mmCIF file with all atom_site columns, all heavy atoms in Angstrom:
data_model
loop_
_atom_site.group_PDB
_atom_site.id
_atom_site.type_symbol
_atom_site.label_atom_id
_atom_site.label_alt_id
_atom_site.label_comp_id
_atom_site.label_asym_id
_atom_site.label_entity_id
_atom_site.label_seq_id
_atom_site.pdbx_PDB_ins_code
_atom_site.Cartn_x
_atom_site.Cartn_y
_atom_site.Cartn_z
_atom_site.occupancy
_atom_site.B_iso_or_equiv
_atom_site.pdbx_formal_charge
_atom_site.auth_seq_id
_atom_site.auth_comp_id
_atom_site.auth_asym_id
_atom_site.auth_atom_id
_atom_site.pdbx_PDB_model_num
ATOM 1   N N   . MET A 1 23  ? 8.521  8.683  15.985 1.00 0.00 ? 26  MET A N   1
ATOM 2   C CA  . MET A 1 23  ? 8.315  7.368  16.560 1.00 0.00 ? 26  MET A CA  1
ATOM 3   C C   . MET A 1 23  ? 9.525  6.898  17.349 1.00 0.00 ? 26  MET A C   1
ATOM 4   O O   . MET A 1 23  ? 9.411  6.243  18.365 1.00 0.00 ? 26  MET A O   1
ATOM 5   C CB  . MET A 1 23  ? 8.005  6.358  15.459 1.00 0.00 ? 26  MET A CB  1
ATOM 6   C CG  . MET A 1 23  ? 6.710  6.640  14.726 1.00 0.00 ? 26  MET A CG  1
ATOM 7   S SD  . MET A 1 23  ? 5.281  6.410  15.774 1.00 0.00 ? 26  MET A SD  1
ATOM 8   C CE  . MET A 1 23  ? 5.363  4.658  15.997 1.00 0.00 ? 26  MET A CE  1
ATOM 9   N N   . ALA A 1 26  ? 9.771  7.458  20.935 1.00 0.00 ? 29  ALA A N   1
ATOM 10  C CA  . ALA A 1 26  ? 8.929  6.639  21.798 1.00 0.00 ? 29  ALA A CA  1
ATOM 11  C C   . ALA A 1 26  ? 9.644  5.400  22.305 1.00 0.00 ? 29  ALA A C   1
ATOM 12  O O   . ALA A 1 26  ? 9.108  4.646  23.105 1.00 0.00 ? 29  ALA A O   1
ATOM 13  C CB  . ALA A 1 26  ? 7.670  6.217  21.046 1.00 0.00 ? 29  ALA A CB  1
ATOM 14  N N   . SER A 1 27  ? 10.867 5.165  21.826 1.00 0.00 ? 30  SER A N   1
ATOM 15  C CA  . SER A 1 27  ? 11.563 3.930  22.183 1.00 0.00 ? 30  SER A CA  1
ATOM 16  C C   . SER A 1 27  ? 11.953 3.905  23.642 1.00 0.00 ? 30  SER A C   1
ATOM 17  O O   . SER A 1 27  ? 12.568 4.838  24.148 1.00 0.00 ? 30  SER A O   1
ATOM 18  C CB  . SER A 1 27  ? 12.814 3.787  21.315 1.00 0.00 ? 30  SER A CB  1
ATOM 19  O OG  . SER A 1 27  ? 13.510 2.621  21.648 1.00 0.00 ? 30  SER A OG  1
ATOM 20  N N   . CYS A 1 28  ? 11.566 2.836  24.320 1.00 0.00 ? 31  CYS A N   1
ATOM 21  C CA  . CYS A 1 28  ? 11.974 2.624  25.697 1.00 0.00 ? 31  CYS A CA  1
ATOM 22  C C   . CYS A 1 28  ? 11.831 1.153  25.986 1.00 0.00 ? 31  CYS A C   1
ATOM 23  O O   . CYS A 1 28  ? 11.408 0.376  25.139 1.00 0.00 ? 31  CYS A O   1
ATOM 24  C CB  . CYS A 1 28  ? 11.138 3.471  26.672 1.00 0.00 ? 31  CYS A CB  1
ATOM 25  S SG  . CYS A 1 28  ? 9.372  3.202  26.581 1.00 0.00 ? 31  CYS A SG  1
ATOM 26  N N   . ALA A 1 29  ? 12.175 0.744  27.204 1.00 0.00 ? 32  ALA A N   1
ATOM 27  C CA  . ALA A 1 29  ? 12.157 -0.681 27.523 1.00 0.00 ? 32  ALA A CA  1
ATOM 28  C C   . ALA A 1 29  ? 10.756 -1.243 27.355 1.00 0.00 ? 32  ALA A C   1
ATOM 29  O O   . ALA A 1 29  ? 9.781  -0.619 27.760 1.00 0.00 ? 32  ALA A O   1
ATOM 30  C CB  . ALA A 1 29  ? 12.638 -0.883 28.946 1.00 0.00 ? 32  ALA A CB  1
ATOM 31  N N   . SER A 1 31  ? 7.337  -3.169 27.910 1.00 0.00 ? 34  SER A N   1
ATOM 32  C CA  . SER A 1 31  ? 6.595  -3.553 29.106 1.00 0.00 ? 34  SER A CA  1
ATOM 33  C C   . SER A 1 31  ? 6.254  -5.026 29.036 1.00 0.00 ? 34  SER A C   1
ATOM 34  O O   . SER A 1 31  ? 6.244  -5.627 27.977 1.00 0.00 ? 34  SER A O   1
ATOM 35  C CB  . SER A 1 31  ? 5.309  -2.734 29.206 1.00 0.00 ? 34  SER A CB  1
ATOM 36  O OG  . SER A 1 31  ? 4.470  -3.017 28.108 1.00 0.00 ? 34  SER A OG  1
ATOM 37  N N   . TRP A 1 48  ? -7.600 0.098  18.420 1.00 0.00 ? 51  TRP A N   1
ATOM 38  C CA  . TRP A 1 48  ? -7.529 1.349  17.670 1.00 0.00 ? 51  TRP A CA  1
ATOM 39  C C   . TRP A 1 48  ? -7.449 1.020  16.181 1.00 0.00 ? 51  TRP A C   1
ATOM 40  O O   . TRP A 1 48  ? -6.579 0.270  15.752 1.00 0.00 ? 51  TRP A O   1
ATOM 41  C CB  . TRP A 1 48  ? -6.289 2.146  18.058 1.00 0.00 ? 51  TRP A CB  1
ATOM 42  C CG  . TRP A 1 48  ? -6.354 2.761  19.428 1.00 0.00 ? 51  TRP A CG  1
ATOM 43  C CD1 . TRP A 1 48  ? -7.316 2.576  20.383 1.00 0.00 ? 51  TRP A CD1 1
ATOM 44  C CD2 . TRP A 1 48  ? -5.395 3.660  19.993 1.00 0.00 ? 51  TRP A CD2 1
ATOM 45  N NE1 . TRP A 1 48  ? -7.023 3.307  21.504 1.00 0.00 ? 51  TRP A NE1 1
ATOM 46  C CE2 . TRP A 1 48  ? -5.851 3.985  21.298 1.00 0.00 ? 51  TRP A CE2 1
ATOM 47  C CE3 . TRP A 1 48  ? -4.201 4.222  19.538 1.00 0.00 ? 51  TRP A CE3 1
ATOM 48  C CZ2 . TRP A 1 48  ? -5.142 4.838  22.133 1.00 0.00 ? 51  TRP A CZ2 1
ATOM 49  C CZ3 . TRP A 1 48  ? -3.501 5.079  20.366 1.00 0.00 ? 51  TRP A CZ3 1
ATOM 50  C CH2 . TRP A 1 48  ? -3.967 5.394  21.651 1.00 0.00 ? 51  TRP A CH2 1
ATOM 51  N N   . THR A 1 85  ? 0.984  9.682  13.908 1.00 0.00 ? 88  THR A N   1
ATOM 52  C CA  . THR A 1 85  ? 2.285  9.217  14.390 1.00 0.00 ? 88  THR A CA  1
ATOM 53  C C   . THR A 1 85  ? 2.528  9.661  15.825 1.00 0.00 ? 88  THR A C   1
ATOM 54  O O   . THR A 1 85  ? 2.991  8.880  16.660 1.00 0.00 ? 88  THR A O   1
ATOM 55  C CB  . THR A 1 85  ? 3.420  9.737  13.492 1.00 0.00 ? 88  THR A CB  1
ATOM 56  O OG1 . THR A 1 85  ? 3.374  11.161 13.445 1.00 0.00 ? 88  THR A OG1 1
ATOM 57  C CG2 . THR A 1 85  ? 3.287  9.181  12.097 1.00 0.00 ? 88  THR A CG2 1
ATOM 58  N N   . GLN A 1 86  ? 2.192  10.919 16.126 1.00 0.00 ? 89  GLN A N   1
ATOM 59  C CA  . GLN A 1 86  ? 2.358  11.414 17.487 1.00 0.00 ? 89  GLN A CA  1
ATOM 60  C C   . GLN A 1 86  ? 1.409  10.717 18.448 1.00 0.00 ? 89  GLN A C   1
ATOM 61  O O   . GLN A 1 86  ? 1.764  10.416 19.591 1.00 0.00 ? 89  GLN A O   1
ATOM 62  C CB  . GLN A 1 86  ? 2.133  12.932 17.532 1.00 0.00 ? 89  GLN A CB  1
ATOM 63  C CG  . GLN A 1 86  ? 3.207  13.731 16.809 1.00 0.00 ? 89  GLN A CG  1
ATOM 64  C CD  . GLN A 1 86  ? 2.890  13.951 15.341 1.00 0.00 ? 89  GLN A CD  1
ATOM 65  O OE1 . GLN A 1 86  ? 2.076  13.229 14.759 1.00 0.00 ? 89  GLN A OE1 1
ATOM 66  N NE2 . GLN A 1 86  ? 3.533  14.936 14.730 1.00 0.00 ? 89  GLN A NE2 1
ATOM 67  N N   . THR A 1 87  ? 0.186  10.451 17.971 1.00 0.00 ? 90  THR A N   1
ATOM 68  C CA  . THR A 1 87  ? -0.804 9.780  18.819 1.00 0.00 ? 90  THR A CA  1
ATOM 69  C C   . THR A 1 87  ? -0.290 8.412  19.260 1.00 0.00 ? 90  THR A C   1
ATOM 70  O O   . THR A 1 87  ? -0.327 8.069  20.448 1.00 0.00 ? 90  THR A O   1
ATOM 71  C CB  . THR A 1 87  ? -2.135 9.621  18.064 1.00 0.00 ? 90  THR A CB  1
ATOM 72  O OG1 . THR A 1 87  ? -2.634 10.912 17.707 1.00 0.00 ? 90  THR A OG1 1
ATOM 73  C CG2 . THR A 1 87  ? -3.165 8.904  18.928 1.00 0.00 ? 90  THR A CG2 1
ATOM 74  N N   . PHE A 1 88  ? 0.211  7.643  18.324 1.00 0.00 ? 91  PHE A N   1
ATOM 75  C CA  . PHE A 1 88  ? 0.704  6.308  18.653 1.00 0.00 ? 91  PHE A CA  1
ATOM 76  C C   . PHE A 1 88  ? 1.992  6.364  19.473 1.00 0.00 ? 91  PHE A C   1
ATOM 77  O O   . PHE A 1 88  ? 2.148  5.635  20.450 1.00 0.00 ? 91  PHE A O   1
ATOM 78  C CB  . PHE A 1 88  ? 0.928  5.486  17.380 1.00 0.00 ? 91  PHE A CB  1
ATOM 79  C CG  . PHE A 1 88  ? -0.306 4.793  16.876 1.00 0.00 ? 91  PHE A CG  1
ATOM 80  C CD1 . PHE A 1 88  ? -1.052 5.340  15.846 1.00 0.00 ? 91  PHE A CD1 1
ATOM 81  C CD2 . PHE A 1 88  ? -0.728 3.599  17.437 1.00 0.00 ? 91  PHE A CD2 1
ATOM 82  C CE1 . PHE A 1 88  ? -2.201 4.705  15.374 1.00 0.00 ? 91  PHE A CE1 1
ATOM 83  C CE2 . PHE A 1 88  ? -1.870 2.953  16.976 1.00 0.00 ? 91  PHE A CE2 1
ATOM 84  C CZ  . PHE A 1 88  ? -2.601 3.506  15.943 1.00 0.00 ? 91  PHE A CZ  1
ATOM 85  N N   . SER A 1 89  ? 2.922  7.222  19.068 1.00 0.00 ? 92  SER A N   1
ATOM 86  C CA  . SER A 1 89  ? 4.216  7.226  19.739 1.00 0.00 ? 92  SER A CA  1
ATOM 87  C C   . SER A 1 89  ? 4.085  7.589  21.209 1.00 0.00 ? 92  SER A C   1
ATOM 88  O O   . SER A 1 89  ? 4.686  6.946  22.074 1.00 0.00 ? 92  SER A O   1
ATOM 89  C CB  . SER A 1 89  ? 5.184  8.185  19.042 1.00 0.00 ? 92  SER A CB  1
ATOM 90  O OG  . SER A 1 89  ? 4.709  9.513  19.073 1.00 0.00 ? 92  SER A OG  1
ATOM 91  N N   . SER A 1 90  ? 3.280  8.607  21.502 1.00 0.00 ? 93  SER A N   1
ATOM 92  C CA  . SER A 1 90  ? 3.132  9.013  22.901 1.00 0.00 ? 93  SER A CA  1
ATOM 93  C C   . SER A 1 90  ? 2.363  7.971  23.701 1.00 0.00 ? 93  SER A C   1
ATOM 94  O O   . SER A 1 90  ? 2.701  7.683  24.858 1.00 0.00 ? 93  SER A O   1
ATOM 95  C CB  . SER A 1 90  ? 2.429  10.373 22.988 1.00 0.00 ? 93  SER A CB  1
ATOM 96  O OG  . SER A 1 90  ? 1.129  10.317 22.411 1.00 0.00 ? 93  SER A OG  1
ATOM 97  N N   . ALA A 1 91  ? 1.346  7.367  23.093 1.00 0.00 ? 94  ALA A N   1
ATOM 98  C CA  . ALA A 1 91  ? 0.547  6.369  23.804 1.00 0.00 ? 94  ALA A CA  1
ATOM 99  C C   . ALA A 1 91  ? 1.348  5.110  24.091 1.00 0.00 ? 94  ALA A C   1
ATOM 100 O O   . ALA A 1 91  ? 1.290  4.546  25.194 1.00 0.00 ? 94  ALA A O   1
ATOM 101 C CB  . ALA A 1 91  ? -0.709 6.032  23.012 1.00 0.00 ? 94  ALA A CB  1
ATOM 102 N N   . VAL A 1 92  ? 2.118  4.665  23.103 1.00 0.00 ? 95  VAL A N   1
ATOM 103 C CA  . VAL A 1 92  ? 2.910  3.454  23.304 1.00 0.00 ? 95  VAL A CA  1
ATOM 104 C C   . VAL A 1 92  ? 4.017  3.701  24.323 1.00 0.00 ? 95  VAL A C   1
ATOM 105 O O   . VAL A 1 92  ? 4.304  2.856  25.172 1.00 0.00 ? 95  VAL A O   1
ATOM 106 C CB  . VAL A 1 92  ? 3.479  2.961  21.961 1.00 0.00 ? 95  VAL A CB  1
ATOM 107 C CG1 . VAL A 1 92  ? 4.480  1.830  22.171 1.00 0.00 ? 95  VAL A CG1 1
ATOM 108 C CG2 . VAL A 1 92  ? 2.350  2.491  21.052 1.00 0.00 ? 95  VAL A CG2 1
ATOM 109 N N   . ALA A 1 93  ? 4.647  4.875  24.272 1.00 0.00 ? 96  ALA A N   1
ATOM 110 C CA  . ALA A 1 93  ? 5.728  5.190  25.197 1.00 0.00 ? 96  ALA A CA  1
ATOM 111 C C   . ALA A 1 93  ? 5.232  5.248  26.642 1.00 0.00 ? 96  ALA A C   1
ATOM 112 O O   . ALA A 1 93  ? 5.941  4.859  27.573 1.00 0.00 ? 96  ALA A O   1
ATOM 113 C CB  . ALA A 1 93  ? 6.372  6.514  24.817 1.00 0.00 ? 96  ALA A CB  1
ATOM 114 N N   . SER A 1 94  ? 3.992  5.707  26.825 1.00 0.00 ? 97  SER A N   1
ATOM 115 C CA  . SER A 1 94  ? 3.450  5.857  28.182 1.00 0.00 ? 97  SER A CA  1
ATOM 116 C C   . SER A 1 94  ? 2.618  4.660  28.624 1.00 0.00 ? 97  SER A C   1
ATOM 117 O O   . SER A 1 94  ? 2.009  4.690  29.691 1.00 0.00 ? 97  SER A O   1
ATOM 118 C CB  . SER A 1 94  ? 2.592  7.123  28.254 1.00 0.00 ? 97  SER A CB  1
ATOM 119 O OG  . SER A 1 94  ? 1.484  7.044  27.358 1.00 0.00 ? 97  SER A OG  1
ATOM 120 N N   . ASN A 1 95  ? 2.586  3.606  27.792 1.00 0.00 ? 98  ASN A N   1
ATOM 121 C CA  . ASN A 1 95  ? 1.790  2.409  28.097 1.00 0.00 ? 98  ASN A CA  1
ATOM 122 C C   . ASN A 1 95  ? 0.308  2.720  28.298 1.00 0.00 ? 98  ASN A C   1
ATOM 123 O O   . ASN A 1 95  ? -0.370 2.125  29.134 1.00 0.00 ? 98  ASN A O   1
ATOM 124 C CB  . ASN A 1 95  ? 2.347  1.683  29.328 1.00 0.00 ? 98  ASN A CB  1
ATOM 125 C CG  . ASN A 1 95  ? 3.676  1.018  29.062 1.00 0.00 ? 98  ASN A CG  1
ATOM 126 O OD1 . ASN A 1 95  ? 3.962  0.638  27.939 1.00 0.00 ? 98  ASN A OD1 1
ATOM 127 N ND2 . ASN A 1 95  ? 4.502  0.896  30.085 1.00 0.00 ? 98  ASN A ND2 1
ATOM 128 N N   . THR A 1 96  ? -0.183 3.666  27.529 1.00 0.00 ? 99  THR A N   1
ATOM 129 C CA  . THR A 1 96  ? -1.618 3.984  27.548 1.00 0.00 ? 99  THR A CA  1
ATOM 130 C C   . THR A 1 96  ? -2.250 3.712  26.190 1.00 0.00 ? 99  THR A C   1
ATOM 131 O O   . THR A 1 96  ? -3.372 4.125  25.931 1.00 0.00 ? 99  THR A O   1
ATOM 132 C CB  . THR A 1 96  ? -1.852 5.462  27.917 1.00 0.00 ? 99  THR A CB  1
ATOM 133 O OG1 . THR A 1 96  ? -1.166 6.308  26.973 1.00 0.00 ? 99  THR A OG1 1
ATOM 134 C CG2 . THR A 1 96  ? -1.341 5.757  29.323 1.00 0.00 ? 99  THR A CG2 1
ATOM 135 N N   . GLY A 1 97  ? -1.512 3.028  25.326 1.00 0.00 ? 100 GLY A N   1
ATOM 136 C CA  . GLY A 1 97  ? -2.002 2.764  23.979 1.00 0.00 ? 100 GLY A CA  1
ATOM 137 C C   . GLY A 1 97  ? -2.891 1.544  23.908 1.00 0.00 ? 100 GLY A C   1
ATOM 138 O O   . GLY A 1 97  ? -3.314 0.985  24.928 1.00 0.00 ? 100 GLY A O   1
ATOM 139 N N   . PRO A 1 98  ? -3.156 1.084  22.692 1.00 0.00 ? 101 PRO A N   1
ATOM 140 C CA  . PRO A 1 98  ? -4.067 -0.039 22.486 1.00 0.00 ? 101 PRO A CA  1
ATOM 141 C C   . PRO A 1 98  ? -3.392 -1.378 22.736 1.00 0.00 ? 101 PRO A C   1
ATOM 142 O O   . PRO A 1 98  ? -2.157 -1.473 22.794 1.00 0.00 ? 101 PRO A O   1
ATOM 143 C CB  . PRO A 1 98  ? -4.447 0.099  21.012 1.00 0.00 ? 101 PRO A CB  1
ATOM 144 C CG  . PRO A 1 98  ? -3.205 0.681  20.387 1.00 0.00 ? 101 PRO A CG  1
ATOM 145 C CD  . PRO A 1 98  ? -2.660 1.642  21.415 1.00 0.00 ? 101 PRO A CD  1
ATOM 146 N N   . SER A 1 101 ? -4.093 -2.822 17.163 1.00 0.00 ? 104 SER A N   1
ATOM 147 C CA  . SER A 1 101 ? -4.380 -1.665 16.311 1.00 0.00 ? 104 SER A CA  1
ATOM 148 C C   . SER A 1 101 ? -3.966 -1.937 14.879 1.00 0.00 ? 104 SER A C   1
ATOM 149 O O   . SER A 1 101 ? -3.189 -2.853 14.601 1.00 0.00 ? 104 SER A O   1
ATOM 150 C CB  . SER A 1 101 ? -3.643 -0.415 16.808 1.00 0.00 ? 104 SER A CB  1
ATOM 151 O OG  . SER A 1 101 ? -2.297 -0.391 16.339 1.00 0.00 ? 104 SER A OG  1
ATOM 152 N N   . GLN A 1 107 ? 4.462  0.640  10.513 1.00 0.00 ? 110 GLN A N   1
ATOM 153 C CA  . GLN A 1 107 ? 4.437  0.968  11.939 1.00 0.00 ? 110 GLN A CA  1
ATOM 154 C C   . GLN A 1 107 ? 4.834  -0.221 12.816 1.00 0.00 ? 110 GLN A C   1
ATOM 155 O O   . GLN A 1 107 ? 5.600  -0.090 13.770 1.00 0.00 ? 110 GLN A O   1
ATOM 156 C CB  . GLN A 1 107 ? 3.033  1.452  12.314 1.00 0.00 ? 110 GLN A CB  1
ATOM 157 C CG  . GLN A 1 107 ? 2.796  1.738  13.781 1.00 0.00 ? 110 GLN A CG  1
ATOM 158 C CD  . GLN A 1 107 ? 1.414  2.315  14.002 1.00 0.00 ? 110 GLN A CD  1
ATOM 159 O OE1 . GLN A 1 107 ? 0.952  3.151  13.226 1.00 0.00 ? 110 GLN A OE1 1
ATOM 160 N NE2 . GLN A 1 107 ? 0.746  1.883  15.052 1.00 0.00 ? 110 GLN A NE2 1
ATOM 161 N N   . PHE A 1 111 ? 7.841  -0.355 15.785 1.00 0.00 ? 114 PHE A N   1
ATOM 162 C CA  . PHE A 1 111 ? 7.568  -0.702 17.181 1.00 0.00 ? 114 PHE A CA  1
ATOM 163 C C   . PHE A 1 111 ? 8.196  -2.043 17.559 1.00 0.00 ? 114 PHE A C   1
ATOM 164 O O   . PHE A 1 111 ? 8.601  -2.246 18.707 1.00 0.00 ? 114 PHE A O   1
ATOM 165 C CB  . PHE A 1 111 ? 6.062  -0.727 17.450 1.00 0.00 ? 114 PHE A CB  1
ATOM 166 C CG  . PHE A 1 111 ? 5.456  0.641  17.642 1.00 0.00 ? 114 PHE A CG  1
ATOM 167 C CD1 . PHE A 1 111 ? 4.271  0.978  17.018 1.00 0.00 ? 114 PHE A CD1 1
ATOM 168 C CD2 . PHE A 1 111 ? 6.066  1.580  18.445 1.00 0.00 ? 114 PHE A CD2 1
ATOM 169 C CE1 . PHE A 1 111 ? 3.704  2.232  17.202 1.00 0.00 ? 114 PHE A CE1 1
ATOM 170 C CE2 . PHE A 1 111 ? 5.513  2.840  18.628 1.00 0.00 ? 114 PHE A CE2 1
ATOM 171 C CZ  . PHE A 1 111 ? 4.333  3.169  18.007 1.00 0.00 ? 114 PHE A CZ  1
ATOM 172 N N   . GLN A 1 114 ? 11.544 -1.684 18.787 1.00 0.00 ? 117 GLN A N   1
ATOM 173 C CA  . GLN A 1 114 ? 11.588 -1.085 20.119 1.00 0.00 ? 117 GLN A CA  1
ATOM 174 C C   . GLN A 1 114 ? 11.092 -2.047 21.199 1.00 0.00 ? 117 GLN A C   1
ATOM 175 O O   . GLN A 1 114 ? 10.995 -1.682 22.368 1.00 0.00 ? 117 GLN A O   1
ATOM 176 C CB  . GLN A 1 114 ? 10.728 0.187  20.143 1.00 0.00 ? 117 GLN A CB  1
ATOM 177 C CG  . GLN A 1 114 ? 11.183 1.246  19.149 1.00 0.00 ? 117 GLN A CG  1
ATOM 178 C CD  . GLN A 1 114 ? 10.212 2.403  19.041 1.00 0.00 ? 117 GLN A CD  1
ATOM 179 O OE1 . GLN A 1 114 ? 9.217  2.476  19.757 1.00 0.00 ? 117 GLN A OE1 1
ATOM 180 N NE2 . GLN A 1 114 ? 10.492 3.325  18.141 1.00 0.00 ? 117 GLN A NE2 1
ATOM 181 N N   . GLY A 1 115 ? 10.753 -3.280 20.811 1.00 0.00 ? 118 GLY A N   1
ATOM 182 C CA  . GLY A 1 115 ? 10.293 -4.262 21.779 1.00 0.00 ? 118 GLY A CA  1
ATOM 183 C C   . GLY A 1 115 ? 8.867  -4.068 22.242 1.00 0.00 ? 118 GLY A C   1
ATOM 184 O O   . GLY A 1 115 ? 8.470  -4.581 23.295 1.00 0.00 ? 118 GLY A O   1
ATOM 185 N N   . LYS A 1 116 ? 8.077  -3.374 21.459 1.00 0.00 ? 119 LYS A N   1
ATOM 186 C CA  . LYS A 1 116 ? 6.704  -3.058 21.869 1.00 0.00 ? 119 LYS A CA  1
ATOM 187 C C   . LYS A 1 116 ? 5.648  -3.956 21.233 1.00 0.00 ? 119 LYS A C   1
ATOM 188 O O   . LYS A 1 116 ? 4.469  -3.861 21.577 1.00 0.00 ? 119 LYS A O   1
ATOM 189 C CB  . LYS A 1 116 ? 6.394  -1.598 21.510 1.00 0.00 ? 119 LYS A CB  1
ATOM 190 C CG  . LYS A 1 116 ? 7.211  -0.577 22.279 1.00 0.00 ? 119 LYS A CG  1
ATOM 191 C CD  . LYS A 1 116 ? 6.831  -0.541 23.747 1.00 0.00 ? 119 LYS A CD  1
ATOM 192 C CE  . LYS A 1 116 ? 7.496  0.595  24.483 1.00 0.00 ? 119 LYS A CE  1
ATOM 193 N NZ  . LYS A 1 116 ? 7.048  0.669  25.889 1.00 0.00 ? 119 LYS A NZ  1
ATOM 194 N N   . ILE A 1 117 ? 6.058  -4.781 20.285 1.00 0.00 ? 120 ILE A N   1
ATOM 195 C CA  . ILE A 1 117 ? 5.104  -5.613 19.549 1.00 0.00 ? 120 ILE A CA  1
ATOM 196 C C   . ILE A 1 117 ? 5.054  -7.026 20.122 1.00 0.00 ? 120 ILE A C   1
ATOM 197 O O   . ILE A 1 117 ? 6.083  -7.638 20.400 1.00 0.00 ? 120 ILE A O   1
ATOM 198 C CB  . ILE A 1 117 ? 5.474  -5.674 18.058 1.00 0.00 ? 120 ILE A CB  1
ATOM 199 C CG1 . ILE A 1 117 ? 5.219  -4.323 17.386 1.00 0.00 ? 120 ILE A CG1 1
ATOM 200 C CG2 . ILE A 1 117 ? 4.714  -6.774 17.327 1.00 0.00 ? 120 ILE A CG2 1
ATOM 201 C CD1 . ILE A 1 117 ? 3.748  -3.900 17.351 1.00 0.00 ? 120 ILE A CD1 1
ATOM 202 N N   . MET A 1 319 ? -1.626 -5.085 14.257 1.00 0.00 ? 322 MET A N   1
ATOM 203 C CA  . MET A 1 319 ? -0.570 -5.537 15.158 1.00 0.00 ? 322 MET A CA  1
ATOM 204 C C   . MET A 1 319 ? -1.080 -5.644 16.588 1.00 0.00 ? 322 MET A C   1
ATOM 205 O O   . MET A 1 319 ? -2.070 -5.008 16.966 1.00 0.00 ? 322 MET A O   1
ATOM 206 C CB  . MET A 1 319 ? 0.613  -4.568 15.104 1.00 0.00 ? 322 MET A CB  1
ATOM 207 C CG  . MET A 1 319 ? 0.296  -3.166 15.588 1.00 0.00 ? 322 MET A CG  1
ATOM 208 S SD  . MET A 1 319 ? 1.252  -1.856 14.766 1.00 0.00 ? 322 MET A SD  1
ATOM 209 C CE  . MET A 1 319 ? 0.383  -1.740 13.189 1.00 0.00 ? 322 MET A CE  1
ATOM 210 N N   . TYR A 1 321 ? 0.222  -5.501 20.749 1.00 0.00 ? 324 TYR A N   1
ATOM 211 C CA  . TYR A 1 321 ? 1.256  -4.863 21.562 1.00 0.00 ? 324 TYR A CA  1
ATOM 212 C C   . TYR A 1 321 ? 1.537  -5.667 22.829 1.00 0.00 ? 324 TYR A C   1
ATOM 213 O O   . TYR A 1 321 ? 0.653  -6.358 23.355 1.00 0.00 ? 324 TYR A O   1
ATOM 214 C CB  . TYR A 1 321 ? 0.829  -3.438 21.938 1.00 0.00 ? 324 TYR A CB  1
ATOM 215 C CG  . TYR A 1 321 ? 0.638  -2.541 20.742 1.00 0.00 ? 324 TYR A CG  1
ATOM 216 C CD1 . TYR A 1 321 ? -0.563 -2.546 20.026 1.00 0.00 ? 324 TYR A CD1 1
ATOM 217 C CD2 . TYR A 1 321 ? 1.658  -1.699 20.303 1.00 0.00 ? 324 TYR A CD2 1
ATOM 218 C CE1 . TYR A 1 321 ? -0.741 -1.734 18.916 1.00 0.00 ? 324 TYR A CE1 1
ATOM 219 C CE2 . TYR A 1 321 ? 1.481  -0.873 19.198 1.00 0.00 ? 324 TYR A CE2 1
ATOM 220 C CZ  . TYR A 1 321 ? 0.284  -0.896 18.500 1.00 0.00 ? 324 TYR A CZ  1
ATOM 221 O OH  . TYR A 1 321 ? 0.111  -0.099 17.411 1.00 0.00 ? 324 TYR A OH  1
ATOM 222 N N   . THR A 1 322 ? 2.779  -5.541 23.320 1.00 0.00 ? 325 THR A N   1
ATOM 223 C CA  . THR A 1 322 ? 3.135  -6.227 24.563 1.00 0.00 ? 325 THR A CA  1
ATOM 224 C C   . THR A 1 322 ? 2.358  -5.666 25.745 1.00 0.00 ? 325 THR A C   1
ATOM 225 O O   . THR A 1 322 ? 2.130  -6.366 26.732 1.00 0.00 ? 325 THR A O   1
ATOM 226 C CB  . THR A 1 322 ? 4.645  -6.103 24.831 1.00 0.00 ? 325 THR A CB  1
ATOM 227 O OG1 . THR A 1 322 ? 5.016  -4.712 24.821 1.00 0.00 ? 325 THR A OG1 1
ATOM 228 C CG2 . THR A 1 322 ? 5.449  -6.846 23.784 1.00 0.00 ? 325 THR A CG2 1
ATOM 229 N N   . ASN A 1 323 ? 1.943  -4.416 25.650 1.00 0.00 ? 326 ASN A N   1
ATOM 230 C CA  . ASN A 1 323 ? 1.170  -3.803 26.726 1.00 0.00 ? 326 ASN A CA  1
ATOM 231 C C   . ASN A 1 323 ? -0.314 -4.124 26.517 1.00 0.00 ? 326 ASN A C   1
ATOM 232 O O   . ASN A 1 323 ? -1.045 -3.395 25.868 1.00 0.00 ? 326 ASN A O   1
ATOM 233 C CB  . ASN A 1 323 ? 1.379  -2.283 26.741 1.00 0.00 ? 326 ASN A CB  1
ATOM 234 C CG  . ASN A 1 323 ? 0.651  -1.632 27.910 1.00 0.00 ? 326 ASN A CG  1
ATOM 235 O OD1 . ASN A 1 323 ? 0.780  -2.067 29.043 1.00 0.00 ? 326 ASN A OD1 1
ATOM 236 N ND2 . ASN A 1 323 ? -0.126 -0.612 27.611 1.00 0.00 ? 326 ASN A ND2 1
#
Side-chain angles (χ1 to χ4, degrees):
M26 296 293 292
S30 179
C31 57
S34 63
W51 288 7
T88 57
Q89 292 89 340
T90 300
F91 275 99
S92 61
S93 61
V95 171
S97 62
N98 290 332
T99 58
S104 83
Q110 176 175 319
F114 281 135
Q117 300 172 4
K119 294 291 188 176
I120 290 295
M322 64 211 77
Y324 298 83
T325 55
N326 184 50

